[in-house]
């Protein structure tokens, strides 16, 4: 492998320029940056992360704290964040809390101390003690899924999105409406489930429609959970005519259960989801679409701005949602 001095000589620039060009730092023209990259690739040179850390005091790693990795939403947010970080020469270091015990252990031991340049938290509503622990690290902090003081924050209006979904069903003439909510993940104090549940009740109250508690099913934000919840709702002595599923994955499970019961969608049961999962289009699912990958990418870029540009103030970004109507509520296609 070539040295940085050899790359600099071959490219006709200084070693400092090579370093800045390969680290995506400012002060290098795009033409020079491309020449340095080409020479570095031809000479099989890659910049040493450990040497870079010694020279700059940085690890070029961003710690990401996430409650789960098996849910589609978290995977998409991570993909968006990783893409932005990788293009800027940073690595992503993942910490999965998993459950309440794992969460308590993480904040007690704080394993990312001195090993990351910034921290990104996905959807966890932090207590005062937890947020104070992260601030003690003295690095830029980011949050996806709500507003957090002292953090760069990126989120959507979950309450507004939930209202869009339920109002759509109400405007279709439905009054007997069930809801499949997150259930188990609420134990980790996630803000989105609370906001979407509140939206369901608020939209029903807005139209003077009572909520039947036996039509509220726990779906654990999974396909299998959505199927089980739909089966429990169908076992009630009365049957709803429409369902709001708090996530598309739970909606897919509900669709499976409805087909097993030979219940026609939407003629006997309308269904609307939330998220904009890539499978929602091919399954004909009406859903509230949120820009999930963009949420992760935007949050990562806000952290990079602080790290690369020396910006100290935090920023808040609210991204839009959109109701996309398909055959699961309108019957435009056969299901």
């Amino acid at each position: 492998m070539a040295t940085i001095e050899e790359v600099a000589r071959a490219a006709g620039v200084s070693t400092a320029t090579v370093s800045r060009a390969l680290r995506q730092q400012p002060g290098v023209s795009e033409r020079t940056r491309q020449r340095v990259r080409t020479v570095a690739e031809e000479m099989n040179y890659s910049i040493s992360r450990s040497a870079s850390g010694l020279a700059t005091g940085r690890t070029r790693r961003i710690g990401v704290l996430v409650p789960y990795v098996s849910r589609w939403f978290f995977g998409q947010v991570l993909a968006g964040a990783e893409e932005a970080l990788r293009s800027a020469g940073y690595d992503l270091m993942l910490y999965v809390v998993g459950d309440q015990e794992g969460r308590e252990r993480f904040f007690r031991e704080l394993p990312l101390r001195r090993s990351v340049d910034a921290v990104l938290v996905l959807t966890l509503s932090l207590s005062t003690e937890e947020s104070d622990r992260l601030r003690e690290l003295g690095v830029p902090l980011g949050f996806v899924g709500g507003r957090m003081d002292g953090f760069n924050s990126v989120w959507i209006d979950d309450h507004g999105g939930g209202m869009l979904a339920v109002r759509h069903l109400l405007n279709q003439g439905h009054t007997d409406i069930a809801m499949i909510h997150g259930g188990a993940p609420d134990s980790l104090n996630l803000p989105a489930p609370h906001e979407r549940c509140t939206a369901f009740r608020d939209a029903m109250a807005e139209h003077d429609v009572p909520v039947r508690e036996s039509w509220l099913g726990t779906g654990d934000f999974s396909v299998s959970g959505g199927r089980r919840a739909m089966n429990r709702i169908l076992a009630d002595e009365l049957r709803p005519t429409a369902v709001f599923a708090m996530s598309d994955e739970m909606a897919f499970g509900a669709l499976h259960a409805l087909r097993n019961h030979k219940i026609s969608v939407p003629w006997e049961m309308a269904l609307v989801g939330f998220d904009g999962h890539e499978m929602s289009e091919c399954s004909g699912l009406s859903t509230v679409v949120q820009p999930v990958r963009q949420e992760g990418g935007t949050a990562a870029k806000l952290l990079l701005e602080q790290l690369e540009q020396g910006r100290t103030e935090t920023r808040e970004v609210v991204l839009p949602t959109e109701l996309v109507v398909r055959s699961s509520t309108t019957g435009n296609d056969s299901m």
Side-chain angles (χ1 to χ4, degrees), residues 38-335:
T38 300
V39 171
E41 289 176 3
E42 291 174 349
M43 300 181 71
N44 193 29
Y45 175 79
S46 62
I47 197 161
S48 168
R49 292 292 177 86
S50 59
S52 174
L54 289 173
T56 66
R58 294 208 187 147
T59 65
R60 301 197 73 80
R61 290 191 296 266
I62 307 297
V64 182
L65 180 60
V66 59
Y68 305 98
V69 290
S70 59
R71 308 292 194 261
W72 174 85
F73 170 84
F74 296 108
Q76 291 298 301
V77 173
L78 286 170
E82 192 276 334
E83 182 179 13
L85 294 173
R86 174 167 36 84
S87 65
Y90 284 78
D91 292 326
L92 182 152
M93 182 176 289
L94 188 64
Y95 296 88
V96 183
V97 298
D99 53 24
Q100 190 60 36
E101 180 182 352
R103 177 173 180 155
E104 292 173 356
R105 182 172 60 253
F106 173 86
F107 283 101
R108 181 175 61 253
E109 299 175 359
L110 217 59
L112 45 65
R113 188 187 302 275
R114 293 184 299 277
S115 61
V116 297
D117 296 331
V119 178
L120 179 61
V121 180
L122 305 192
T123 77
L124 291 168
S125 287
L126 303 178
S127 67
T128 300
E129 293 76 12
E130 290 171 339
S131 59
D132 286 346
R133 285 285 284 162
L134 291 180
R135 291 189 187 97
E136 290 172 5
L137 295 172
V139 299
L141 303 173
F143 190 84
V144 173
R147 179 187 291 107
M148 188 69 60
D149 290 340
F151 290 64
N152 293 294
S153 300
V154 179
W155 74 95
I156 63 164
D157 181 1
D158 282 287
H159 183 272
M163 293 286 282
L164 281 176
V166 182
R167 282 172 177 163
H168 172 59
L169 296 176
L170 290 162
N171 291 336
Q172 292 284 314
H174 297 283
T175 55
D176 297 330
I177 305 176
M179 177 177 65
I180 300 177
H181 56 81
D186 289 358
S187 63
L188 283 171
N189 195 21
L190 308 183
H194 171 75
E195 292 297 321
R196 296 179 197 178
C197 279
T198 301
F200 173 77
R201 294 185 180 275
D202 287 348
M204 297 287 275
E206 178 182 75
H207 286 70
D208 296 319
V209 175
V211 173
R212 186 176 176 87
E213 298 299 324
S214 57
W215 288 348
L216 306 182
T218 300
D220 301 335
F221 283 103
S222 66
V223 175
S224 59
R227 184 178 63 250
R228 289 192 300 269
M230 191 73 255
N231 284 330
R232 287 193 294 270
I233 291 170
L234 293 175
D236 190 64
E237 58 182 348
L238 296 177
R239 178 177 290 179
T241 63
V243 180
F244 166 47
M246 193 180 286
S247 77
D248 286 351
E249 287 178 286
M250 293 189 292
F252 299 149
L255 275 174
H256 186 266
L258 291 170
R259 286 167 179 157
N260 282 346
H261 284 271
K262 299 186 179 352
I263 295 174
S264 175
V265 177
W267 312 114
E268 295 177 274
M269 188 83 69
L271 177 66
V272 62
F274 197 120
D275 278 337
H277 193 291
E278 57 262 28
M279 292 296 294
S280 61
E281 182 175 6
C282 64
S283 63
L285 178 68
S286 294
T287 184
V288 176
V289 176
Q290 61 170 318
V292 184
R293 288 179 72 102
Q294 186 181 349
E295 292 170 54
T298 300
K301 289 173 183 176
L302 292 179
L303 292 176
L304 291 171
E305 285 181 11
Q306 287 190 292
L307 289 169
E308 301 296 335
Q309 301 175 16
R311 181 174 57 79
T312 57
E313 72 278 6
T314 59
R315 292 177 54 193
E316 298 179 354
V317 178
V318 183
L319 296 174
T321 58
E322 176 189 7
L323 175 66
V324 176
V325 177
R326 300 191 178 100
S327 57
S328 70
T329 57
T330 64
N332 290 335
D333 301 308
S334 176
M335 293 190 68

